[in-house]
Amino acid sequence: MQVKDKIVIVTGAGSGIGAATAKHFAKHHATVIVSDIKEEKAKTTVEQIKQEGGKAVVITANVAKYEDVEQLISETVSQFGQLDVIVNNAGIGPRNMSKTAEYTLEDWDSVIAVNQTGVFYCMKLALQQMMKQGSGNIVNIASLAGLKASLNNLSYCASKFAVVGMTKSAALEYATKNIRINAVCPGYTESALLSKLLSVRPDMDDMLKSVIPMKRYGQAEEIAEAVVWLASENTKFITGQTITLDGGTSL
Ligand SMILES: NC(=O)c1ccc[n+]([C@@H]2O[C@H](COP(=O)([O-])OP(=O)(O)OC[C@H]3O[C@@H](n4cnc5c(N)ncnc54)[C@H](O)[C@@H]3O)[C@@H](O)[C@H]2O)c1
């Protein structure tokens, strides 16, 4: 995949899909800025990339804080001179799964702040830099929950529908500017996020697998493959699209 020498930020790259994506970019000879709210986790991803001979640095940022995202983009540009790709992956789920009437204000606010407003901050500030350069590529990590209803999970579902909407709207705005913006919509994928859900509701394991036609969860590396492909020079005519990777669940 053609991402050699690209300067790539991956948010939430200390774990799961973000870590797998950072490693996949590095494997294809991109330079990766591994960003996460948790510095230790980001450092681990960078060490793993370096052990494989790849290029990566840590820049810590909480995507829900505008000043952190400003710092992330400006430090990237001062260290590497440009920003070719940003993968907006950082995301969280609610503490409690509950119906809308019982949904806590805390679960509403925290999830929207990271998953929706965080993606807006990253897109806004990355696009300012990409417009200066005259090129760029954004891949947002949405979810199957951004395409269809999701039970007892209102803020997560709302935030991921928003990510799909932001992807399409911004793609239209920048289509003539040599900037492409796409999203991937993973179904249930093995990661800390899924483990957390299953630790609270172990009964959901069989239930979830029963609704996946392939009868297994996705692997973070399988999602990473699609992200790097969308960010690469191999997909120059694709913008504003969502690619669903869900083992057939949406069928
Ligand atoms: N795992 C799944 O089944 C699944 C399915 C669909 C979509 N997704 C989406 O994929 C993305 C990655 O999820 P994952 O499953 O790899 O989860 P994960 O919990 O393994 O990783 C998320 C990472 O984001 C970081 N993070 C959390 N809040 C942050 C913040 N405010 N700023 C910066 N970093 C922050 C965490 O420290 C963590 O390293 C999320 O957007 C998630 O909604 C996951």
Side-chain angles (χ1 to χ4, degrees):
M1 270 181 293
Q2 297 169 35
V3 291
K4 188 172 184 294
D5 298 330
K6 300 268 185 207
I7 306 301
V8 179
I9 293 176
V10 182
T11 69
S15 164
I17 294 170
T21 300
K23 289 176 200 167
H24 210 59
F25 271 110
K27 195 173 129 193
H28 288 275
H29 311 291
T31 297
V32 189
I33 293 88
V34 173
S35 188
D36 203 283
I37 194 170
K38 295 193 177 150
E39 187 170 24
E40 282 313 309
K41 289 168 77 179
K43 278 184 179 165
T44 304
T45 304
V46 166
E47 277 161 25
Q48 289 166 347
I49 288 174
K50 286 187 171 167
Q51 272 164 16
E52 299 289 315
K55 286 182 244 164
V57 297
V58 173
I59 302 181
T60 312
N62 174 355
V63 297
K65 286 193 179 163
Y66 191 71
E67 56 277 17
D68 276 23
V69 182
E70 280 182 309
Q71 171 99 346
L72 169 63
I73 307 284
S74 67
E75 260 192 54
T76 298
V77 176
S78 68
Q79 273 193 55
F80 300 103
Q82 67 204 64
L83 169 62
D84 298 308
V85 178
I86 186 164
V87 179
N88 295 317
N89 164 79
I92 59 170
R95 270 171 191 262
N96 307 293
M97 306 283 287
S98 51
K99 288 197 172 64
T100 302
E102 285 76 45
Y103 216 83
T104 67
L105 300 188
E106 190 202 352
D107 273 336
W108 176 264
D109 289 339
S110 59
V111 173
I112 296 295
V114 178
N115 295 11
Q116 181 171 340
T117 309
V119 171
F120 164 61
Y121 290 164
C122 289
M123 284 177 64
K124 175 179 168 62
L125 290 163
L127 281 163
Q128 290 175 3
Q129 173 59 28
M130 289 170 179
M131 282 298 289
K132 278 188 214 156
Q133 300 166 184
S135 66
N137 196 304
I138 299 177
V139 183
N140 294 324
I141 312 301
S143 171
L144 192 52
L147 300 173
K148 60 197 286 284
S150 186
L151 274 179
N152 304 328
N153 204 10
L154 197 78
S155 58
Y156 188 81
C157 186
S159 71
K160 294 301 186 178
F161 265 79
V163 170
V164 170
M166 289 191 284
T167 301
K168 289 179 181 293
S169 301
L172 191 57
E173 290 171 359
Y174 292 92
T176 59
K177 304 294 181 192
N178 196 27
I179 299 171
R180 298 190 294 113
I181 305 161
N182 291 290
V184 297
C185 293
Y188 298 106
T189 306
E190 278 183 19
S191 72
L193 196 75
L194 185 66
S195 305
K196 203 170 146 197
L197 173 72
L198 295 178
S199 69
V200 186
R201 292 280 312 275
D203 55 304
M204 282 183 77
D205 190 30
D206 285 344
M207 192 272 281
L208 291 180
K209 281 184 183 148
S210 75
V211 299
I212 305 170
M214 288 189 188
K215 304 294 175 211
R216 68 168 178 89
Y217 298 125
Q219 298 298 310
E221 293 72 22
E222 293 173 313
I223 313 301
E225 188 88 36
V227 174
V228 176
W229 181 69
L230 281 172
S232 75
E233 298 295 319
N234 303 66
T235 54
K236 281 195 222 162
F237 204 44
I238 301 181
T239 197
Q241 301 306 303
T242 57
I243 295 191
T244 305
L245 298 103
D246 66 351
T249 309
S250 51
L251 300 174

